[in-house]
Amino acid sequence: MINGISTDELGPQKVIYIHKPEPALEAIVVIDNIAAGPAIGGVRMSGDVTLEECARLARAMTLKNAAAGLPHGGGKSVIKADPSMPRVEKAKLIRAFAQALLDVQDYVPGPDMGTNEEAMAWVYDETGRAVGLPRELGGIPLDEIGATGHGIVSAIEAAENYSSIGIKGARIAVQGFGAVGKHAASFLAAKGAKVVAVSDSSASVLNPAGLNVAELLIFKKAGEKLIGFAGKDVETAPPEAVITSSCDILIPAARPDAITEKNVGQIKANLIVEGANIPATIEAERALHERGTLVIPDFIANAGGVICASVEYHGGTESQALSNIDEKIRCNVTQVLRMAQVENLLPRQAAVGLARERVLKASTFRRFG
Ligand code: NAD
């Protein structure tokens, strides 16, 4: 335990506090582990960030990057400030933050809540090190190309041997119609799945015969909320209805804790692919496992974004990013589900075990372990 955060054989390896009275910068960087390579992890800007949150997120990145087989460790940083401040002020703060990291070669910042590709361009301008950059600086716009949605499709295809659910004709429900959910829905529809339910924060829309995903995309692009969506045979219900709707595959792609002990008993899906981070409690995942519902855990299924960021960092192209996402996610889903089956583990336990093993193995190649 150091300063109230727990430590173990993986890390954290470095905790950096940054304080500059002018321009009122308060930030923390946690470099959890760099055994496999420089740590990649987002810069979160929010008024209520803490060291504990930063350390937890940094560990999540260590496991996610290792599980994805990337030559990167995990880190995270937080800047305590309101992200909606005027752009000029924000640029000053982010540039000051980047300047403080000039010599911290083993951390590569990326975008997260409260920061975006423009913020990463400022970091890059100061230090020459950042991912999630604008296209003009060699960035690959991962949300625009649907990097995470691509990975979700690959995960479903790889799980076919374990779930017996093929994409063609499968009934899909997607919670959240944002960067992850809308792309997952449209790629799956293009492969012959029937998208029967989707939701945003205003409502769920359902049609057992299949929703018109192209119409939904146009509707949302116009800035509308699903509560106002009307189509032939479309039923509107509260936002949470999507989770317990009648479907074969459920993709929670909105918020943490969408699946809990309260609603797990009413879930109809046989396969759950976690697009969001921690969309189910561990108790709910266990209950699903016990009754034979297959869950592909978040940091395996939603790694498309970080794989894309890694390809960008190493100078790769958009098409290399897409083929890397497909290859790595297929391979990881297969390994995790095989290990879970053979060792009778929850897929999450198998995934964490696999990731830890990779980090520990990588550390045997380093002088200071
Ligand atoms: P986003 O903001 O683009 O979209 C979120 C969607 O969820 C929106 O449609 C919003 O209306 C909806 N939503 C919010 N609350 C809801 C509720 N209570 N019920 C139903 N819908 C609700 O966000 P995103 O980038 O798509 O990210 C979604 C989740 O996936 C987050 O947990 C994020 O951390 C995680 N994630 C994103 C990526 C990525 O590449 N963007 C990668 C890995 C993980």
Side-chain angles (χ1 to χ4, degrees):
M1 196 78 124
I2 296 176
N3 267 356
I5 54 168
S6 51
T7 51
D8 63 12
E9 76 274 29
L10 301 189
Q13 298 185 345
K14 243 184 233 176
V15 177
I16 301 165
Y17 293 89
I18 303 166
H19 171 68
K20 286 189 186 182
E22 173 54 42
L25 171 66
E26 259 190 81
I28 304 168
V29 181
V30 175
I31 298 174
D32 185 54
N33 190 288
I34 53 160
I40 285 192
V43 182
R44 179 166 291 193
M45 185 186 273
S46 162
D48 60 0
V49 286
T50 63
L51 168 62
E52 194 204 346
E53 178 186 1
C54 189
R56 201 163 47 86
L57 293 166
R59 171 56 52 89
M61 289 310 297
T62 297
L63 297 177
K64 190 176 206 168
N65 293 343
L70 302 177
H72 291 288
K76 198 87 184 180
S77 51
V78 293
I79 300 178
K80 197 167 182 169
D82 178 0
S84 61
M85 69 177 71
R87 182 174 169 275
V88 177
E89 303 288 306
K90 194 167 178 174
K92 214 189 266 179
L93 209 58
I94 300 262
R95 284 181 181 279
F97 166 78
Q99 270 295 323
L101 294 183
L102 212 49
D103 297 328
V104 186
Q105 305 278 343
D106 43 16
Y107 172 55
V108 184
D112 194 76
M113 275 165 52
T115 60
N116 57 11
E117 61 179 34
E118 185 181 39
M120 290 310 111
W122 296 327
V123 173
Y124 189 75
D125 189 37
E126 298 293 333
T127 65
R129 234 178 313 111
V131 288
L133 294 167
R135 235 185 237 282
E136 295 73 15
L137 300 182
I140 306 174
L142 62 97
D143 281 344
E144 195 183 306
I145 66 171
T148 305
H150 268 291
I152 284 171
V153 176
S154 306
I156 297 173
E157 286 178 344
E160 218 172 299
N161 292 335
Y162 297 85
S163 69
S164 321
I165 302 173
I167 289 180
K168 204 167 167 50
R171 294 169 309 144
I172 314 272
V174 185
Q175 185 203 30
F177 209 66
V180 177
K182 73 175 181 203
H183 286 296
S186 89
F187 297 151
L188 289 165
K191 284 185 170 255
K194 198 154 65 168
V195 178
V196 292
V198 301
S199 68
D200 66 8
S201 55
S202 73
S204 296
V205 290
L206 307 97
N207 182 351
L211 293 158
N212 185 328
V213 177
E215 265 178 23
L216 283 166
L217 289 170
I218 294 168
F219 183 78
K220 285 293 287 181
K221 199 170 179 190
E224 301 289 343
K225 293 189 169 159
L226 287 180
I227 187 109
F229 185 76
K232 192 170 171 295
D233 299 326
V234 172
E235 182 198 335
T236 306
E240 58 279 9
V242 71
I243 296 287
T244 53
S245 63
S246 194
C247 63
D248 303 306
I249 303 175
L250 171 64
I251 303 169
R255 337 175 19 81
D257 295 339
I259 304 172
T260 66
E261 304 91 288
K262 286 195 185 130
N263 59 7
V264 70
Q266 295 140 47
I267 285 180
K268 323 266 183 325
N270 293 314
L271 172 63
I272 298 180
V273 187
E274 297 185 340
N277 291 321
I278 46 169
T281 62
I282 194 74
E283 294 79 16
E285 281 188 4
R286 191 172 298 282
L288 289 162
H289 181 70
E290 279 164 8
R291 67 166 212 233
T293 303
L294 189 61
V295 179
I296 306 184
D298 46 11
F299 69 97
I300 297 293
N302 72 21
V306 78
I307 296 172
C308 187
S310 170
V311 171
E312 174 188 311
Y313 181 71
H314 294 280
T317 63
E318 192 170 309
S319 64
Q320 283 167 335
L322 293 178
S323 77
N324 256 16
I325 290 169
D326 185 51
E327 186 189 321
K328 284 184 185 295
I329 291 191
R330 266 174 209 279
C331 169
N332 290 329
V333 168
T334 306
Q335 274 192 32
V336 164
L337 297 185
R338 189 187 301 134
M339 184 171 165
Q341 194 177 57
V342 171
E343 298 185 20
N344 194 22
L345 298 170
L346 292 183
R348 177 174 297 279
Q349 290 171 316
V352 170
L354 182 89
R356 287 189 87 93
E357 203 179 289
R358 285 185 185 164
V359 178
L360 292 173
K361 173 86 185 175
S363 57
T364 65
F365 303 124
R366 306 300 290 250
R367 179 143 49 114
F368 298 110

